[in-house]
Amino acid sequence: MVRPISDLEAHPDIAELRARYDRAAETPTAYMADGALMLAGVWLAISPWVVGFAATQRNLAVNNLICGIAVSLLAIGFAAAYGRTHGLAWVPVVLGLWAIVSPWAVSGGSVTGGTLASNIVVGAITAALGLITMRLPGLGKSMQHRQLRETPAQR
């Protein structure tokens, strides 16, 4: 008979899984992805004022501000505690795709070239960095397996 665990947080498997995610978050790839994701979120938040569409397309400006703040906060969470926030790694991908389509969805068809370029580029970057963040634990594992398979002469 299996005894139920009253405190799931103290389960050794969960503790080991979180430790593995935290180790994956301490790699140079993770540092670069988190930093770049933070910068992409900041750019998305301030782009309406930098590109100059905050006054003409208020709804899109508010959308970009909210999405940019969300992406930046997620990047901070991933950098600070990836072991606890890894389940949200898919959110930057969705927000990046939303940033790409939001000029048409929020403003209709009346968007300028600068607005489109800014949102498409930062949306693609955010989605790509989100995919990298989702893949972080697997990247660390594959690098460990490669090191175990190599002989000392190959290293």
Side-chain angles (χ1 to χ4, degrees):
M1 175 157 222
V2 177
R3 186 182 71 170
I5 298 173
S6 60
D7 184 19
L8 194 57
E9 294 294 318
H11 193 279
D13 290 341
I14 291 187
E16 173 57 33
L17 185 62
R18 281 205 180 120
R20 181 174 146 224
Y21 285 142
D22 286 336
R23 282 190 308 272
E26 294 174 358
T27 63
T29 303
Y31 289 147
M32 290 174 49
D34 292 340
L37 190 60
M38 173 73 173
L39 290 175
V42 168
W43 174 258
L44 185 60
I46 67 170
S47 65
W49 293 273
V50 175
V51 175
F53 62 90
T56 59
Q57 298 175 347
R58 284 197 137 100
N59 291 340
L60 185 59
V62 170
N63 174 71
N64 281 13
L65 178 66
I66 292 170
C67 290
I69 290 171
V71 169
S72 294
L73 289 175
L74 283 167
I76 291 169
F78 297 148
Y82 188 71
R84 296 200 177 262
T85 59
H86 69 276
L88 297 173
W90 60 272
V91 177
V93 177
V94 173
L95 289 174
L97 295 175
W98 172 248
I100 292 171
V101 301
S102 64
W104 294 283
V106 174
S107 295
S110 62
V111 290
T112 63
T115 304
L116 283 177
S118 176
N119 273 41
I120 290 172
V121 169
V122 78
I125 290 170
T126 301
L129 291 169
L131 290 172
I132 291 170
T133 303
M134 288 173 62
R135 183 71 178 117
L136 281 177
L139 290 175
K141 183 178 178 184
S142 64
M143 288 177 9
Q144 288 172 352
H145 286 304
R146 242 182 277 136
Q147 289 174 348
L148 290 175
R149 287 188 303 216
E150 291 177 351
T151 64
Q154 292 175 329
R155 292 184 196 158

